[in-house]
Amino acid sequence: MLLGASRGHDSIPGGAIKTENINHEFLDAVLEGRQVDVYYHFGVASDDPILEKLRGVRAVILAGSGERITDFAERWSALSGDPEIIAFPKEERFVTRYTGGVLFSSHGMGMPSASIAVQELMRMVYFLKRGDLEALDDVFWARVGTSGGVGLPGGTIVVSEAGLMADLKPFRLLQGGIGTYWFDGEFPAATRAAIMAANADSGLPIVEGKTIATNEFFLEQFRLDGAIRRETAQTKHEFLEWLHANGVRNIEMEGAMLAAYWNSWGFPSFAMICAVLLNRLEGDQVTSTPEQLHDFSEQSGDVLFNYLQQRLLTS
Ligand code: URA
């Protein structure tokens, strides 16, 4: 267990949240009791007594699978010394666990699924913090996941500098026929630095770099093993080399949207920590053994927990 000397607290209390991007019309009506907010995909609502136990939330950690969430919650329960692990009743879509001031939630696969999870969780955290902007500034958000490496071997852990889409531009959404909603894809440098510092003595293979999030696992990641094939070995190689030359170190399917939404509210502390499953310059298929995949998952969890211990347990 790594416990660092510094507090490693990188948030900027009071003033980071951009209030103009918060949906005050709806969320403040919930705070004032004029409206109940139904967090439908989690099976809870703002008038559910279970939420009272989550008022002290200080971090929200997302991961793709429910199994990883239950594993992370058990590890954090032991590290933080909180024996109670709270679960929301509905697990059909997302699995959640709360313990030691940290809400862990799965987000499924891809940006559409993860966007539902993160928007409902942002609404929930706003409610839990009673709309207090300083309290919201203090909440740390992260995704801990898996990815394909660009020039990196399996087992490497990438802490993202930016979350971009497959054309190296930030996340955007169609605004009907009118235009495009553009977002910001940067991950905060101070949080990244604090994560790296918390893991400086860990011996884990951690690198920093840009990450692209694709809309699809096969075609947009230039795989040649999908049911549909549009690319050749040459165009795939050119794409991956182009990514690498532009500072991209891994490919996954959520980070561009997550960075976009967290930046939209102006959260000062958020991050993405992803284990690399394979080097995409060497292949397309994930052939790691279950033991290797377990180790990769554990190690990305180690990187998270070394930081969370500094941030939450030494302050
Ligand atoms: N996740 C992805 O999106 N791509 C990979 O290659 C591996 C994990």
Side-chain angles (χ1 to χ4, degrees), residues 113-133:
S113 173
S115 71
I116 297 168
V118 77
Q119 287 234 29
E120 290 194 4
L121 290 168
M122 285 164 68
R123 279 159 40 190
M124 193 185 294
V125 169
Y126 187 86
F127 172 76
L128 291 170
K129 297 300 170 192
R130 299 184 169 90
D132 179 331
L133 300 188

Side-chain angles (χ1 to χ4, degrees), residues 146-148 217 221 223 251-253 277-278 280:
T146 55
S147 60
F217 191 79
Q221 297 194 12
R223 279 189 150 81
I251 307 173
E252 46 81 77
M253 296 181 66
L277 300 186
L278 75 165
R280 284 298 319 288

